[in-house]
Amino acid sequence: VNDAGRLSIDETVERIKALVGPKGWVSDPNDIEPYLVEPRGLFHGATRLVVRPASTADVAAIVTLCAAAKLPIVPQGGNTGLVGAQVPPENGNNIVVSLQRMNKIRAVDPLNYTMTVEAGVILADIQKAAEEADRLFPLSLGAEGSCRIGGNLSTNAGGVGVLRYGNTRDLALGLEVVLPDGRIWDGLRALRKDNTGYDLKQLFIGGEGTLGIITAAVLKLFPRPREIETAMIALANVDDVMEIFARARAASGDQLTAFELIPRFGIEMTTQHLHGISDPIAAAYPWYVLLEISSSEASGASRAKLENFLAAQIEAGLVVDGVIAASAAQAANIWRIRDGMTEAQGYEGGSIKHDVSVPVSRVAEFIRTAMAAVEARLPGIRPCPFGHVGDGNIHFNLSQPKGADPKGVDKAAYLARWGEFNDIVHGIVAALGGSISAEHGIGRLKRDEITHYKSPLELDLMRKIKHALDPDGIMNPGKVIAAE
Ligand code: FAD
Ligand code: 2HG
Ligand code: ZN
C-alpha cells in the first residue's frame, strides 16, 4: 500500500487474482500468448495478467481495483478484430479483461423479438439460439465462429447482412456496461421506442472498449427466412456490378439480403489455398457477385424471381455468366469462397489493407481510380477489391507483386510501404466523400491516420467524451484517440 493509501500495481494484480479465483486468470506466458497477438500478426503486446471474470459483479470489482491503482485495462472478446484494438500495448503495464467466460444467453423473448445475452457469447451461438426460437439474428461475418457479441458491439461490426438489417448498432436495444470507475450502468431495456434524452448506449457501441466494458446486451431479432436463394454471377466490369446492384434491389421487392463483390483473384486464391472449394462457374471472368435473396414466406417465389431477374440481365448483356445454387451444399460452397477471402489472402504474401466506404453511387469510380493509382505506383501489385459493395464498403486490399518471396525480406519491404499506399487510397476515398474505416474501426492501426480525415471539431468532441467518462484514461488507452 503506498503513501496515499492506495494498493500498488502488484498488490492490485494479486487482489484481482484472489477475487476471480484460479479459473479466472491466466499468467503463464504460453497460455497468455493467444491474447497478445491479433489475427494478422500486425500488433503484439504484453500484459501483467489476463483475467477472465464470470459475472458482471466481478467485472465491476476488477475495474474498481484498477481505477484506484490507475492500472490500464484492455477489454477483449474473441480477439478477431482487425485494427489491433483488442491487443494490449507493448509496455505490458495493463491487464487484459477477457469476456469469454461470460457466455450465457440470459433470455429469449420471441414475442418481443429480442434476446438478452452476456457479452462473451460467440456470435454463431446467438444465431443458433435465435433459430431455435424460430427467429433470426442477422449479424453475420466470416469470424462468426469465434468473435463474441461484446466485440461485435464494441466494433459496431458490419458484415454481410447490413444491406437489409443494418450494422450491429442497429441491432442493439439495450446494454449493460461497467464504467471506467467501476459503476454498473444497467441500460438493458428491451424497447423499440425510448426517447428519453441522449442515447447513451450508442457511445459504447463502436467505442472499441475505450469508454467502458459491455457486459450484456438486448438484441433485436427478426422473422426467420423460410427460403433463401444464392447466386454467383459474373460481370465484365465494376460499373456493370453496381448497375446490377441497383436493378436487383428494385426487382427483389426489398428481399436482397447480400450483395458481395469478389474479383477473379479472389476465386483463384480461395480455390487454390482453401480445402474443399470449387469454382462454381467454369469459365473465368474479371468480376463476380454473390447475390442472395430471402423471404419469410415459403412459396418458391424467390427462386422464380431470381431466375427471371438473371435471365433478363443476361439478355441485357450486363450479366455474362452465372449459377443459382441448386442445393444447400452449392450455396455453402459459394459462401465459403466469400468468407474465405481473408484467410486466402494470407497465403499470397504481404497484404496492405484498406476497409473503406464511399457512397454506393461512387463505388465503381472508386475501384477504377484506386486500382489505376496503385498499379501506377507499383507495377505488378495485385489489388483485391472485394466485399460489401451494396453498402458502399470495399475491402481494397493490395497483395504484394507475385514472384516476391512471400515469407522473406520482400514481404517486410512491401509492408513497409503501408503508409504510402494508405495515402494514395485514402486520398481518393476522401475526395469521393468516403470513410477510411467502414466497419473494422480505428484501434491502433488507424489511430493517427484518422486525424488527417476527421475535422478538428469532431476530434475535439471525441476527446471530450473520452475524458468525461474516463478521466484517468485507464480504459483501453492509446486506441481510437491518442492518450493525452
Ligand atoms: P475483439 O477482437 O476481441 O475486440 C475488438 C474491440 O472490441 C477491441 O477494441 C476490444 O477492446 C473491444 N471489446 C471486445 N469485447 C468488449 C466488451 N465486452 N466491452 C468493451 N469492449 C470490448 N468485421 C466486420 O465488421 N465485418 C466483417 O465482415 C468482418 N469479417 C471478418 C472476417 C474474419 C475472418 C476476421 C478475422 C475478422 C472479421 N471482422 C469483420 C473483424 C472482427 O471479426 C470484428 O471486428 C468483430 O466484431 C470483433 O469481435 P471480437 O469478439 O473478436 O472482438
Ligand atoms: C470481410 O468482409 C472482412 O471478409 C475482412 O471484413 C476483410 O480481410 C479483410 O480485409
Ligand atoms: Zn467486411
PDB file of all heavy atoms in Angstrom, residues 159 338 388 393 395 439-440, ligand 3:
ATOM      1  N   GLY A 159     -20.422  -6.648 -41.714  1.00  0.00           N
ATOM      2  CA  GLY A 159     -20.629  -7.999 -42.224  1.00  0.00           C
ATOM      3  C   GLY A 159     -21.537  -8.023 -43.431  1.00  0.00           C
ATOM      4  O   GLY A 159     -21.764  -7.008 -44.099  1.00  0.00           O
ATOM      5  N   ARG A 338     -16.579 -16.604 -50.431  1.00  0.00           N
ATOM      6  CA  ARG A 338     -16.668 -15.242 -49.883  1.00  0.00           C
ATOM      7  C   ARG A 338     -16.031 -15.155 -48.494  1.00  0.00           C
ATOM      8  O   ARG A 338     -15.228 -14.262 -48.221  1.00  0.00           O
ATOM      9  CB  ARG A 338     -18.155 -14.816 -49.853  1.00  0.00           C
ATOM     10  CG  ARG A 338     -18.422 -13.553 -49.074  1.00  0.00           C
ATOM     11  CD  ARG A 338     -17.654 -12.361 -49.674  1.00  0.00           C
ATOM     12  NE  ARG A 338     -17.701 -11.187 -48.798  1.00  0.00           N
ATOM     13  CZ  ARG A 338     -16.812 -10.916 -47.860  1.00  0.00           C
ATOM     14  NH1 ARG A 338     -15.768 -11.719 -47.645  1.00  0.00           N
ATOM     15  NH2 ARG A 338     -16.922  -9.828 -47.131  1.00  0.00           N
ATOM     16  N   HIS A 388     -18.533  -5.741 -49.323  1.00  0.00           N
ATOM     17  CA  HIS A 388     -19.935  -5.353 -49.169  1.00  0.00           C
ATOM     18  C   HIS A 388     -20.273  -4.124 -50.025  1.00  0.00           C
ATOM     19  O   HIS A 388     -20.659  -3.074 -49.495  1.00  0.00           O
ATOM     20  CB  HIS A 388     -20.190  -5.063 -47.690  1.00  0.00           C
ATOM     21  CG  HIS A 388     -19.364  -5.917 -46.754  1.00  0.00           C
ATOM     22  ND1 HIS A 388     -19.604  -7.251 -46.570  1.00  0.00           N
ATOM     23  CD2 HIS A 388     -18.293  -5.638 -45.957  1.00  0.00           C
ATOM     24  CE1 HIS A 388     -18.733  -7.747 -45.697  1.00  0.00           C
ATOM     25  NE2 HIS A 388     -17.917  -6.795 -45.317  1.00  0.00           N
ATOM     26  N   ASN A 393     -19.130  -0.398 -49.157  1.00  0.00           N
ATOM     27  CA  ASN A 393     -17.935  -0.782 -48.381  1.00  0.00           C
ATOM     28  C   ASN A 393     -17.051  -1.731 -49.207  1.00  0.00           C
ATOM     29  O   ASN A 393     -17.482  -2.819 -49.566  1.00  0.00           O
ATOM     30  CB  ASN A 393     -18.408  -1.459 -47.095  1.00  0.00           C
ATOM     31  CG  ASN A 393     -17.288  -1.965 -46.182  1.00  0.00           C
ATOM     32  OD1 ASN A 393     -17.570  -2.664 -45.216  1.00  0.00           O
ATOM     33  ND2 ASN A 393     -16.043  -1.627 -46.441  1.00  0.00           N
ATOM     34  N   HIS A 395     -13.366  -3.691 -49.385  1.00  0.00           N
ATOM     35  CA  HIS A 395     -12.094  -4.074 -48.772  1.00  0.00           C
ATOM     36  C   HIS A 395     -11.053  -3.982 -49.881  1.00  0.00           C
ATOM     37  O   HIS A 395     -10.912  -4.905 -50.692  1.00  0.00           O
ATOM     38  CB  HIS A 395     -12.180  -5.473 -48.168  1.00  0.00           C
ATOM     39  CG  HIS A 395     -13.168  -5.541 -47.043  1.00  0.00           C
ATOM     40  ND1 HIS A 395     -13.114  -4.666 -45.984  1.00  0.00           N
ATOM     41  CD2 HIS A 395     -14.226  -6.335 -46.816  1.00  0.00           C
ATOM     42  CE1 HIS A 395     -14.105  -4.926 -45.151  1.00  0.00           C
ATOM     43  NE2 HIS A 395     -14.803  -5.928 -45.627  1.00  0.00           N
ATOM     44  N   GLU A 439     -15.993  -0.473 -41.450  1.00  0.00           N
ATOM     45  CA  GLU A 439     -16.594  -1.389 -40.467  1.00  0.00           C
ATOM     46  C   GLU A 439     -15.610  -1.955 -39.458  1.00  0.00           C
ATOM     47  O   GLU A 439     -16.037  -2.490 -38.437  1.00  0.00           O
ATOM     48  CB  GLU A 439     -17.333  -2.541 -41.178  1.00  0.00           C
ATOM     49  CG  GLU A 439     -16.443  -3.366 -42.096  1.00  0.00           C
ATOM     50  CD  GLU A 439     -17.097  -4.644 -42.617  1.00  0.00           C
ATOM     51  OE1 GLU A 439     -18.303  -4.832 -42.420  1.00  0.00           O
ATOM     52  OE2 GLU A 439     -16.377  -5.466 -43.211  1.00  0.00           O
ATOM     53  N   HIS A 440     -14.307  -1.884 -39.680  1.00  0.00           N
ATOM     54  CA  HIS A 440     -13.381  -2.546 -38.750  1.00  0.00           C
ATOM     55  C   HIS A 440     -12.996  -1.675 -37.567  1.00  0.00           C
ATOM     56  O   HIS A 440     -12.508  -2.187 -36.568  1.00  0.00           O
ATOM     57  CB  HIS A 440     -12.112  -3.000 -39.489  1.00  0.00           C
ATOM     58  CG  HIS A 440     -12.378  -4.036 -40.529  1.00  0.00           C
ATOM     59  ND1 HIS A 440     -11.521  -4.292 -41.566  1.00  0.00           N
ATOM     60  CD2 HIS A 440     -13.433  -4.878 -40.710  1.00  0.00           C
ATOM     61  CE1 HIS A 440     -12.025  -5.254 -42.339  1.00  0.00           C
ATOM     62  NE2 HIS A 440     -13.187  -5.611 -41.834  1.00  0.00           N
TER      63      HIS A 440
HETATM   64 ZN    ZN B   3     -16.023  -6.962 -44.306  1.00  0.00          ZN
END
